[in-house]
Amino acid sequence: RYPVFDLNNNGLTSFTLKNGVLEQSVSFTNNPNLQFVCADESETIGIQNKIKQYGYTNCNVNSYCSFTPGGNYYTIQGNTKLDNNNNGCDVEDTNYPDLKFSITNGTISGSLIANTVGNYNIPVIAGTHTVTPVLENPSYFTVSPEVVNVTFPTQSSPFTQDFCITPNSVHPDVEVTIIPISRARPGFDASYKIMYKNKGTNTQSGSVNLKFNDAVLDFVTANPVVSNQTVNNLSWNFTDLKPFETREITVTFNVNAPMETPAVNNNDILSYTATITSTQTDDTPTDNTFTLNQTVVGSYDPNDKTC
């Protein structure tokens, strides 16, 4: 069986989940002093999402895990900034959030995701370690430095290395996704989160549209409020979405009960399509549309497991 980890309310500063096993669930709320999580490569993004959800701004996760917790180790740390005005990174530039790094000492390899304010912290053992920034769209930007090599204990710890990311040209690029935050059950409310992000090099304005089946779903509420509502469609306008800024919309619908017309029953499919448009031609339009097909489930069952 896949293990369940409940690490809530412990005042932890770090913990390790790197065990080659995909955990069924991991929860670590109310650990305000948490600074580091070691996890398997396949779990780092999920752990990073939980760190954001819990509001831990000074916590890092990585799969490198090359040190023994509580033993002797050294630290590589720094900050990442986005050089929007192409004059070199300084205090006036914005932080670049969630930048991924690859780390290797020639034998062990792993990855790290910086936190939401652009800070990263990598605990390592003695030896030479190579740290390389990994961009989702490397053709959009140049990174300085492109790579850094650090040798401990020759160099002092903590070793601080900041990274500057500079747009190399204009690349409009936005994306949208839909995440269900509750199950869809006949006769009950179902909530969803629409996430949209500016992955490009310039500030964007435009709109997000959600298409749904109005016949079987009743719109209840949305935050922020809807800009425009028509049959089967809700839309929200946005302005001043800066590069690498992510915003979210929470929307709730009431699902028709089996006694309503048309009825909604177990195993029916609810289809949602989110679309983002801007005033500029997008470099990668394939991620401007996202479709969610959600299966309706029955009454509450404490043994339900969803992956």
Side-chain angles (χ1 to χ4, degrees):
R1 296 178 60 184
Y2 293 156
V4 175
F5 284 90
D6 184 347
L7 305 172
N8 301 329
N9 309 308
N10 279 300
L12 298 173
T13 57
S14 67
F15 64 87
T16 299
L17 288 175
K18 189 166 184 178
N19 52 13
V21 175
L22 179 63
E23 280 72 32
Q24 178 176 295
S25 67
V26 179
S27 180
F28 47 98
T29 60
N30 196 26
N31 287 281
N33 299 319
L34 190 65
Q35 298 177 8
F36 175 66
V37 179
C38 168
D40 293 298
E41 179 73 21
S42 60
E43 296 179 293
T44 54
I45 293 178
I47 295 296
Q48 178 67 23
N49 289 337
K50 283 186 177 288
I51 290 171
K52 290 182 183 179
Q53 176 185 338
Y54 300 155
Y56 301 156
T57 57
N58 294 313
C59 183
N60 292 273
V61 56
N62 77 51
S63 64
Y64 195 43
C65 312
S66 65
F67 73 108
T68 302
N72 294 325
Y73 65 92
Y74 307 90
T75 301
I76 307 170
Q77 65 184 25
N79 177 261
T80 58
K81 287 190 178 294
L82 182 64
D83 180 22
N84 277 318
N85 49 16
N86 287 285
N87 67 346
C89 289
D90 53 42
V91 293
E92 301 298 324
D93 289 308
T94 58
N95 293 325
Y96 186 114
D98 306 322
L99 178 63
K100 182 178 181 179
F101 297 91
S102 68
I103 314 105
T104 182
N105 65 359
T107 302
I108 303 171
S109 296
S111 65
L112 160 83
I113 300 174
N115 65 21
T116 55
V117 294
N119 294 326
Y120 73 94
N121 183 292
I122 311 171
V124 299
I125 58 174
T128 298
H129 304 270
T130 301
V131 181
T132 307
V134 181
L135 297 175
E136 181 178 358
N137 295 300
S139 62
Y140 294 1
F141 304 93
T142 57
V143 183
S144 179
E146 294 183 355
V147 63
V148 61
N149 294 296
V150 186
T151 301
F152 294 115
T154 303
Q155 291 169 281
S156 60
S157 177
F159 178 89
T160 300
Q161 177 63 65
D162 296 335
F163 290 88
C164 183
I165 297 148
T166 305
N168 57 30
S169 58
V170 176
H171 292 281
D173 191 359
V174 291
E175 73 169 8
V176 66
T177 56
I178 311 171
I179 304 170
I181 55 177
S182 66
R183 295 175 178 177
R185 303 180 187 273
F188 290 86
D189 287 352
S191 296
Y192 305 86
K193 187 172 289 187
I194 304 170
M195 310 286 293
Y196 61 103
K197 177 182 179 181
N198 184 353
K199 303 191 300 180
T201 61
N202 52 310
T203 301
Q204 296 261 39
S205 297
S207 65
V208 174
N209 185 81
L210 179 65
K211 183 179 180 180
F212 62 98
N213 186 353
D214 220 336
V216 297
L217 294 166
D218 294 324
F219 170 61
V220 178
T221 186
N223 183 28
V225 297
V226 174
S227 301
N228 188 44
Q229 179 178 358
T230 59
V231 176
N232 298 324
N233 286 277
L234 302 173
S235 64
W236 296 262
N237 297 327
F238 66 88
T239 59
D240 199 32
L241 184 68
K242 294 179 171 54
F244 296 96
E245 180 183 1
T246 298
R247 297 180 189 176
E248 61 183 49
I249 301 165
T250 303
V251 59
T252 300
F253 296 96
N254 183 263
V255 182
N256 278 12
M259 301 302 294
E260 295 183 72
T261 303
V264 174
N265 297 289
N266 293 359
N267 297 319
D268 286 352
I269 302 296
L270 301 178
S271 183
Y272 303 88
T273 301
T275 305
I276 186 169
T277 57
S278 73
T279 56
Q280 303 173 51
T281 302
D282 202 274
D283 275 23
T284 55
T286 54
D287 59 13
N288 290 16
T289 300
F290 187 97
T291 298
L292 170 68
N293 293 313
Q294 186 182 31
T295 302
V296 177
V297 298
S299 59
Y300 290 98
D301 181 353
N303 295 313
D304 277 352
K305 298 293 184 290
T306 300
C307 179

